[in-house]
Amino acid sequence: MQRNPSIIPVLVWLLPLAVQTGRLAAQTGDLGPPQAQARVDALLGRMTLEEKVGQLNQISPDSTTGPKQAVENADELIRNGSVGGMLNAVTARETNGLQREAVEGSRMHIPILFGLDVIHGFRTLFPIPLGLSASWDPALVGQTARYAAQEASSQGVRWVFSPMVDIARDPRWGRIAEGAGEDPYLGSAFARAYVRGYQGESLDNPTSVVACAKHFVGYGAAEGGRDYNTTEISERTLRGVYLPPFQAAVGDGVGTVMSAFNAINGVPASANAFTLTQVLRTEWGFRGFVDSDWTAVREVMLHGIADDERTAALRSFLAGVDMDMQSGIYLHNVAGLVRSGQVPMERLDESVRAILRIKVALGLFEHPYVGEAVVPDPAAAALGATLARKAAEESFVLLENRKFGGAPLLPLAASKGRRIALLGPLADSAEDMLGCWSCQAEPSDMVTLRSALSERAARQGMHLSFAPGTEVSGTSEAGFSKAMDAARNADVVVMALGESGHSSGEASSRSDINLPGNQEKLLEAVVGTGKPVVLVVFSGRPLSIAWASEHVPAVLMAWFPGTQAGPALVRTLFGDAEPAGRLTVSVPRSVGQVPIYYNHLNTGRPRVDPIGLGATKPDPYFVTGYIDQENTPLYPFGYGLTYTSFSYSPAHVSAATLSSKDINLGKARLAVSAEVRNTGNREGTETAQLYIRLRGTSVARPVRELKGFQRVHLAPGESRRLEFELGRDELAFWNADMKEAAEPGSLYVWVAPDSARGTPAKVELAE
Ligand code: BGC
């Protein structure tokens, strides 16, 4: 998105790091206190039809985050009461100015709700959401959301278009960077964490912002990984895979939901009555409002289900889209549709009520403006930097750490006189460290790997040489020789390779997911010198780095780490911080394997039987797979190394048999435990993962499904018994009758370090 350089970094409120965990009251979903409801009704009773329709209109007057779409004179629209929401106003001065027009210049004095794509921070940038998810630490992610809420709200932005809770199983899709990966259980945990962090304890706290769960729904299933593309999703997969994170967000009181661009089984998501009304409102009881994605209401014409704007408005509105982002189609058509009787007035009132309820809940009527003359608060900025560094450190995933000269290459020893060569086009690129949706961050705020490493080298008497070697997408080898010389003269080489910050995110799908340009050629040449090489990979998606995985002794997946990229990396490389991240997406061996995800079905001809049922030993030839490639990923979901090692005891289950009927009635639960031991000689954090598999059920279930996880920090030699529970929420699924229920069958349970390891315990699920 366009950035506004005039933003002044200010923080008005210090960061209360504790993010509330209980279900949030007063929000959205609820009607709010009776006085608030009465206030909304009183306003509604005095509004003209046109003013009501005005509340459904959202505009972005200046900058754009989508295809250009002219907006008529914004000031005049606001004064006429024709603007309910705006996006892309980013400074206190801008929001205050526009707000003044609404509050002082319009007949009803209704404040505007200002929204923005605050995706992984506002001015202080945290890692991209895919990186944040690799922390497997929802509490930490909640803290980053709370911090972003404070920065954004200080400028009058009280609505963020986040979290993106789309499940993504295809790394070609650029927007995989914006979500929490491929798993619905983990995705739901992060959805809740973001909502709690943004919305805080109460929306009327001036530092709270209303969250927006997007993109409803199935957007991540875009065919071929091409952004905006069609999706075909069975109702079972929709309900079992794509909907759960949205339901989790709604359960935690998310105030708004954004309808997606894609068509689901032929019906555009932004005109889809099944998802928007049947599921979201009727089944889940959502009482906030639905905002369309950018011009998505207009796009239902391009999808082909409306020939004119009036029909597009009718279809989207009746399906359940309350606010129209940037199409202007509601503004010009909904009043006519009400007059003609095609849209009942009560239906319009419902949408306007939902929008006004949020404005009341945010306290916008009492406090429509924010202070402009605030002094930057160094204490708050220092807190932000510390949080950004910690979040970055927790996002890194150590993929390889082989021995070099007798010991694992990482962590590096910071010995005096040590010569380090830092190579690669991303070692000193501040702009790229921002990743997609950089919001108000400034490259000048970023600390690159090169600058942090130079500082460290100078402080500890090490010698650092630097050469980019090549460009991110370049083909010229002119820089190779300088890089090779640096490598030859070094004791250790750190290579910073990967994608540019804008190769992922919206409209940034790739058909190839290798290292771009000639970076791999440079890597091969440098590794050929025989020097120990640490590869740091920056990217917004899993990259197929099969060669590196085999030949480079240490590989660290760094995603796009945000403002504190350099310090977090240097602390990790030298062992002041430990890499504790775990993959939330499968890393394919090659692009031909995608879509790839750990929780797939077994098929009737699996290549490997994951439970080892002897009777179904696979035929060596007639099996699902490729003749030229494994089925398994290069690195599985849940995988990540640390600087120590852990062992697991077999999983212990509290019962050999459980009644599925009792599970459904909430009367039976299974306790599962396992002991995790730190078997290395450094302290470290392990993420123990609980997986299940169900067999003998009315529909085939995935080979594994995540149903619990715990992070545990252990000293060398220390062990801890971790306890988990499985009940209806974990064991029910959408069965052959499309009922969500547990069924009789066999249950296998793993407590394991990732989705590919461990030995299951078996439990019988009786009638
Ligand atoms: C994106 C949304 C974003 C919106 C507003 C759209 O193009 O799909 O994720 O929130 O623009 O900027």
Side-chain angles (χ1 to χ4, degrees), residues 1 58 60 64-67 87-88 115-119 160-162 164 166 175 178 212 214-215 219 227-228 258-261 291-295 299 325 437 506:
M1 68 172 283
Q58 183 191 21
S60 171
T64 78
T65 42
L87 71 159
N88 296 333
L116 190 69
D117 289 290
V118 178
I119 306 299
V160 294
F161 305 131
S162 170
M164 185 190 101
D166 294 312
R175 303 200 79 170
E178 298 176 49
C212 180
K214 71 185 188 186
H215 307 83
Y219 185 35
D227 206 3
Y228 316 122
M258 187 184 289
S259 65
F261 291 127
D291 188 22
S292 80
D293 203 341
W294 179 279
T295 62
E299 289 166 27
M325 186 195 290
W437 297 107
E506 188 171 354

Side-chain angles (χ1 to χ4, degrees), residues 714-737:
L714 297 173
E718 194 187 2
S719 66
R720 186 137 347 131
R721 181 155 285 279
L722 303 179
E723 319 266 349
F724 300 86
E725 272 205 10
L726 294 172
R728 187 183 188 285
D729 286 353
E730 293 77 22
L731 299 174
F733 57 92
W734 292 89
N735 65 17
D737 301 327

